[in-house]
Amino acid sequence: MFTKVGSKIFNVELLANASKYYIETNTLKAINGSLNSAVLNYNTLKYLDTIQTDNTSGSGQGVIALVGVGDTPVTAEDYCLDEMTVGGVDVNTIVQCTSARFPVTTARGISYLYQFTNTGSSAVTIKEICICLRLSQVEKYMLARKVIPPRTIQPNENVTFDFDINWF
């Protein structure tokens, strides 16, 4: 499901007119709970077709995927995943994104595909996933979130998650 933040970001991207359409300061909530401190326009939001796999350590602009272990139902007000820690550690540092496919157009919209590997020594059960637009190391905005059927990933196992954005 699109979040309100994701809807605003995609609207500016789709309208693609930097001089006319923009997002005012203090109107978007990042996944860390902070509000955007600068006006965001097409020039700062144009990275929806750039895929990044270094979801926890990187700072390159583009769309990242994050996994979580919570299962609270999705709402449009969501700005972060329900639960991202396992034993006090960010699950994304254990179940790491290792590759991604450039987003492809589908009959209903666009599809992002990410592969994750459990680099830990214990099985981890993933119950939610989101895609975020990352503008910097700390500035990440959740575009959409979904709760998935629990998927247990064994140590050294690879798993692929797709995230479809349906316009129609």
Side-chain angles (χ1 to χ4, degrees):
M1 165 186 255
F2 271 123
T3 62
K4 285 186 178 180
V5 168
S7 294
K8 287 181 181 181
I9 288 172
F10 272 108
N11 280 336
V12 169
E13 169 70 12
L14 291 172
L15 295 171
N17 186 334
S19 64
K20 213 171 176 184
Y21 300 101
Y22 54 90
I23 299 170
E24 290 285 352
T25 59
N26 299 316
T27 58
L28 293 185
K29 191 178 280 191
I31 64 170
N32 66 3
S34 66
L35 296 174
N36 61 308
S37 59
V39 170
L40 302 176
N41 59 29
Y42 173 73
N43 290 328
T44 53
L45 300 174
K46 63 184 176 185
Y47 299 99
L48 293 172
D49 62 352
T50 303
I51 302 304
Q52 301 288 351
T53 58
D54 54 349
N55 59 354
T56 58
S57 61
S59 59
Q61 297 169 319
V63 178
I64 61 172
L66 297 170
V67 293
V69 295
D71 56 8
T72 298
V74 177
T75 73
E77 301 297 326
D78 291 345
Y79 65 91
C80 63
L81 289 170
D82 177 40
E83 181 59 56
M84 291 176 55
T85 58
V86 174
V89 176
D90 182 345
V91 69
N92 290 280
T93 63
I94 301 167
V95 179
Q96 297 178 357
C97 186
T98 53
S99 68
R101 176 190 70 197
F102 186 79
V104 297
T105 303
T106 66
R108 299 188 66 199
I110 190 168
S111 179
Y112 294 92
L113 187 101
Y114 292 89
Q115 182 176 359
F116 290 83
T117 301
N118 181 350
T119 63
S121 58
S122 300
V124 178
T125 301
I126 302 302
K127 298 178 186 175
E128 58 182 333
I129 186 169
C130 74
I131 56 172
C132 299
L133 178 61
R134 180 176 64 200
L135 300 179
S136 70
Q137 177 64 34
V138 296
E139 196 174 10
K140 302 170 191 166
Y141 300 98
M142 182 187 293
L143 302 171
R145 173 179 173 251
K146 64 180 174 179
V147 174
I148 61 174
R151 174 62 164 90
T152 300
I153 306 171
Q154 299 299 325
N156 300 312
E157 181 182 4
N158 296 320
V159 64
T160 301
F161 292 114
D162 66 340
F163 206 109
D164 295 334
I165 302 292
N166 294 324
W167 307 120
F168 317 105

